[in-house]
Every structure is written in C-alpha cells, then in structure tokens.
Amino acid sequence: VVSRYRNVSFIVAEDSLLIETVQQGPLTVSVRGYGKLVAQDVYWIVAKAEGQVERVGVRAGDRLKHGDALVELSNTSLMQKLKDAELEYEAQKAELNAREIDYEVQLMGMQTDVANAEIDYQLARMDLDAKNELTSRGTQIISRLELERAALTVDQYKQRWDMQKHYVIKQQQAMEAQSLARTARLQQVAVALENAQEEVANLTLHASVDGIVQEMNLEVGQSIRPGENVTRIAQADKLIAQVQIPELQVNSVHAGMKVLVDTRTSTIDGVVSRIDPRVIDGAVLVDVELVGTLPAEVRPDLNIEAT
C-alpha cells in the first residue's frame, strides 16, 4: 500500500495545511471603483444678443450667486437703436400732451359757444314771454307781427343751441378717437423702446442660478452671436458621484445598494441610483446619490473612490 501511494500528487503533509471548521453566516462582498463628482443640474448660459466681448468677469471654478455678471458685450448698433427709440418715445409723448392741451382749449371754446347760444335762447324766450303777457292783457303795445317775429327768434336760438350741443358731442367723440389713436401709437413706440432696452440689457450676461463656473473660454474682443453657449454653471449643492465599475464586478451592484464615497479628505454616504446598461472600455458607469450634508471640499469634477 505504501509503495502504491508513495508517488501520487494529491498527498500532502498535514502541517502544511490550514484547517478550520466550516461556519454558516453573512458574507460581505465589496466592490470598489473610481470616478468623480458631477453636478446633477447643469445650466448653460446662452448669448441673447450679438456683440463683441468687452469684459469677462469670471473664470472656471469661480462660485457665483444668482444675478452675478458673467460677461459684458458691446454692440454700437443696439446702443444707437436704443437712443433712437428713446427719442421717438419722448417725441410721441410730447406730441400727445400737446394734442391733449389743444383739445382742451378747443373744447372750452365750443362749450363757451354752447353757453352763449343758451343765453341767447333764454333772453329770446324771456322777451317772448313778456310780449305774450302784455298781449294777454289786451294791450295793443305789441303787434302781431312783432310777436311772431319774437317767437321765430326763440325757435332760431333754440335750434342754434341744440346744434351747438350736438356739435360739441360729435367733436368730443372725434377728439377721443384721435386721442386713442395717438395713445396706441405711443404704446407701440413704448413697446419698441422696451424691446431696445431689453436687447441692450442682454449685452450683459448674468448667472441664472447659484453655482460654480464649469468653463469659460471667451476672450476680450471675441464676437458672439445669439444662441451661442457662453458658459455652464453647476449647482454645488446638488452633486452625484459617477463611478466606473469593472464589467466583471458590476453584477454584484444593484440599485439601492449603500455606497461609501471617499474624497481623500472625508467620506460621504450614498446610494446607488442608476446603473448604465452600456459597457465602455470594460467598465460600467454607476450613478450614486449622495446622502446627508456634503463636506466643504466637495465640488464638481472632484476625483473620488467609492466602495
């Protein structure tokens, strides 16, 4: 028996083995990967007006507040357009005011004519009433012809008074229509002025949110057209970790799994929120949602290690 098993390969010395009792319990599997912090929300700042870069007020990495100036552009044609719009608005406004005063003067004159016509009518009516009273007493002081002439005078003054009142009403309607037309014209000029002011205001680009400037490649003197991307701003308080996990280990990762993110300075708790289905260069991209208050040193593009 000894000679039979003397040269077999599976016989080893007992003192060269590590022997332990098999136990049943939880087995922790850790998957480690490397990546960086990225902004969850990134906002592009787009030029709204054409112009040349006159001043660049920020650089990549600067922290901004909402409304901070980023870039100032210059455009002489827009400035001239604004000046012309201002002059046109002031001219239309002055003309409207002058027309309103002229209408008031004309209306006062017409109302005076109405008042005079009423006075003439009232005097003629009083004269007719007096003559009728004398005639009713049987006196022959007033002839029939004179009485009829007085009655015709009353009718004439009454018609003139009514015509004056009707004329004033029609003139008021015409003046109101002309005033509305001039007011509409002034509003049209005001809208053109507001558009010109907005175009000039768009020559200064402002930050739309609080955040960090991701890139700034503009130079003074460079021409910009409307719609061109100027810079992008990332919100520093809304970051996620993007981790590259080897393809052979990604099967051990699933959504909702706890993650420990190491920034080399501190650690942050996280949760797997998304696993990219694609495999690029032998790795799979995993998004990790950060939990809790973020440390002061975190920023977009910060290299991290995740477990």
Side-chain angles (χ1 to χ4, degrees):
V1 173
V2 171
S3 64
R4 180 178 178 182
Y5 291 101
R6 183 175 298 168
N7 296 323
V8 295
S9 60
F10 52 80
I11 295 180
V12 296
E14 183 178 357
D15 56 1
S16 66
L17 300 178
L18 296 178
I19 299 176
E20 186 55 82
T21 302
V22 175
Q23 297 180 0
Q24 183 176 1
L27 177 64
T28 302
V29 178
S30 297
V31 177
R32 181 172 296 181
Y34 298 89
K36 62 181 180 179
L37 300 180
V38 298
Q40 187 174 1
D41 297 322
V42 177
Y43 297 85
W44 281 98
I45 305 300
V46 180
K48 298 181 180 179
E50 182 177 359
Q52 286 187 329
V53 178
E54 191 172 86
R55 189 181 75 88
V56 179
V58 296
R59 295 177 297 176
D62 288 347
R63 289 183 176 268
L64 300 172
K65 294 292 185 181
H66 179 272
D68 288 349
L70 304 175
V71 179
E72 293 182 6
L73 307 177
S74 62
N75 188 315
T76 55
S77 62
L78 289 183
M79 297 300 296
Q80 184 61 43
K81 180 179 178 182
L82 174 60
K83 186 176 180 180
D84 294 341
E86 290 174 344
L87 294 175
E88 178 67 17
Y89 176 77
E90 292 298 330
Q92 290 291 334
K93 184 177 180 180
E95 183 177 355
L96 178 61
N97 292 334
R99 288 292 183 179
E100 292 294 332
I101 295 175
D102 186 38
Y103 290 159
E104 291 179 2
V105 172
Q106 293 182 23
L107 184 60
M108 291 175 62
M110 289 185 293
Q111 289 174 344
T112 300
D113 294 338
V114 172
N116 292 332
E118 182 182 7
I119 292 173
D120 291 340
Y121 166 72
Q122 294 295 345
L123 291 175
R125 184 68 186 175
M126 293 171 61
D127 181 65
L128 177 61
D129 292 342
K131 291 178 179 179
N132 284 329
E133 185 178 356
L134 291 175
T135 303
S136 64
R137 293 178 181 178
T139 62
Q140 301 297 325
I141 301 175
I142 307 299
S143 65
R144 183 175 182 82
L145 178 61
E146 186 176 356
L147 186 63
E148 291 180 354
R149 184 181 292 112
L152 290 174
T153 302
V154 170
D155 293 339
Q156 180 182 1
Y157 283 138
K158 182 64 169 62
Q159 291 179 3
R160 191 179 71 171
W161 182 31
D162 292 338
M163 292 178 62
Q164 286 289 346
K165 290 190 292 183
H166 184 70
Y167 177 74
V168 170
I169 292 174
K170 291 300 182 181
Q171 284 297 106
Q172 283 181 323
Q173 293 176 351
M175 290 177 181
E176 289 175 358
Q178 293 177 7
S179 179
L180 290 175
R182 294 187 180 278
T183 302
R185 172 58 181 166
L186 180 63
Q187 292 176 349
Q188 183 179 4
V189 174
V191 171
L193 175 59
E194 290 178 359
N195 293 335
Q197 291 173 338
E198 183 178 358
E199 289 178 343
V200 171
N202 288 336
L203 292 176
T204 301
L205 304 178
H206 299 273
S208 56
V209 293
D210 297 348
I212 300 175
V213 179
Q214 295 295 96
E215 62 179 32
M216 176 57 71
N217 300 321
L218 296 182
E219 297 180 357
V220 175
Q222 181 177 344
S223 296
I224 298 291
R225 292 185 177 276
E228 290 188 14
N229 292 327
V230 175
T231 184
R232 56 190 177 98
I233 300 176
Q235 291 187 296
D237 58 341
K238 296 182 180 180
L239 300 177
I240 61 172
Q242 289 189 336
V243 185
Q244 298 287 345
I245 301 297
E247 178 185 4
L248 298 179
Q249 300 181 18
V250 77
N251 291 332
S252 301
V253 180
H254 57 80
M257 183 176 289
K258 293 183 179 180
V259 182
L260 188 63
V261 178
D262 187 0
T263 67
R264 304 296 192 275
T265 303
S266 56
T267 57
I268 310 171
D269 293 330
V271 177
V272 174
S273 59
R274 188 183 72 93
I275 301 174
D276 198 313
R278 299 170 299 174
V279 178
I280 301 176
D281 296 332
V284 175
L285 183 65
V286 175
D287 289 349
V288 177
E289 180 182 352
L290 304 180
V291 180
T293 304
L294 301 181
E297 76 272 7
V298 298
R299 55 177 173 77
D301 296 329
L302 178 66
N303 292 325
I304 53 95
E305 179 182 354
T307 302

